[in-house]
Amino acid sequence: MLRTTYHSPIGKLILLADEHYLLGVWFKGQKYEGSHYDLNNIKVGVSPILQCTSQWLNDYFAGHQPAISDLPLAPRETDFRNQVYKVLMTIPYGKTMTYQQIRQRLTVVNGRPTGSARSVGGAVSHNPISIIIPCHRVVGSDGSLTGYAGGLDRKKALLTFETTSK
């Protein structure tokens, strides 16, 4: 595994990858930074996946709307959380979805009630691949900006950026 730092317009990001997959993207100092990885014991370096991720982020912040499928993602989380992340990846650029809508989508996919809006919220807040898996596009049932591990100021900046760069 290798990690590197990416300097985004809204703060430093820590990128983590193994030889095959992108494992994490966290804002420096965010809640749950590093997830279950000990970032201090992971070598700093460059790899093809980290370079592709940096280019993806360059394209994103330039307003080019890069495809999530351009990167090999492997969030190492529970099955439920990974199901939530798959739904997050369907939220269009510049659009939002509520926690309840995500729960409803999971219920349709699984053919039975799956989780609660609260458990969806827990999964969203622990998303280890910020921005790329767009957890910033999830809002409260009334459209309000609710929790974001990277900070509500960044969530607002990302949503504003997406709606003004379309």
Side-chain angles (χ1 to χ4, degrees):
M1 275 192 275
L2 291 172
R3 68 181 168 93
T4 193
T5 301
Y6 176 87
H7 298 273
S8 85
I10 57 174
K12 290 181 184 177
L13 292 165
I14 300 165
L15 313 180
L16 176 68
D18 64 15
E19 56 277 355
H20 302 288
Y21 299 102
L22 179 65
L23 305 173
V25 175
W26 302 274
F27 284 101
K28 184 77 174 140
Q30 82 167 52
K31 192 173 185 180
Y32 312 119
E33 177 185 322
S35 188
H36 51 271
Y37 300 99
D38 183 0
L39 295 176
N40 292 323
N41 288 321
I42 297 173
K43 185 179 173 184
V44 174
V46 179
S47 71
I49 292 170
L50 292 174
Q51 289 174 320
C52 286
T53 303
S54 292
Q55 185 57 54
W56 192 99
L57 290 165
N58 288 341
D59 291 344
Y60 174 84
F61 285 111
H64 298 306
Q65 302 179 31
I68 295 169
S69 60
D70 289 347
L71 295 172
L73 308 180
R76 295 193 176 147
E77 295 293 343
T78 66
D79 287 341
F80 176 75
R81 286 183 180 176
N82 283 324
Q83 285 183 354
V84 170
Y85 303 151
K86 285 180 184 176
V87 173
L88 294 180
M89 290 187 279
T90 68
I91 304 172
Y93 186 91
K95 302 292 184 187
T96 59
M97 184 179 280
T98 67
Y99 297 97
Q100 186 62 31
Q101 288 171 319
I102 294 169
R103 181 186 175 276
Q104 290 166 346
R105 178 110 24 113
L106 291 172
T107 296
V108 169
V109 167
N110 293 318
R112 61 180 168 68
T114 304
S116 64
R118 182 173 290 230
S119 62
V120 167
V124 170
S125 70
H126 285 84
N127 172 18
I129 305 179
S130 296
I131 301 174
I132 297 165
I133 297 178
C135 54
H136 60 279
R137 296 179 188 157
V138 181
V139 297
S141 59
D142 61 357
S144 62
L145 298 186
T146 58
Y148 183 62
L152 286 180
D153 55 333
R154 288 185 178 127
K155 181 174 188 163
K156 183 177 181 179
L158 289 166
L159 290 172
T160 300
F161 171 75
E162 289 184 5
T163 57
T164 59
S165 67
K166 290 199 299 184

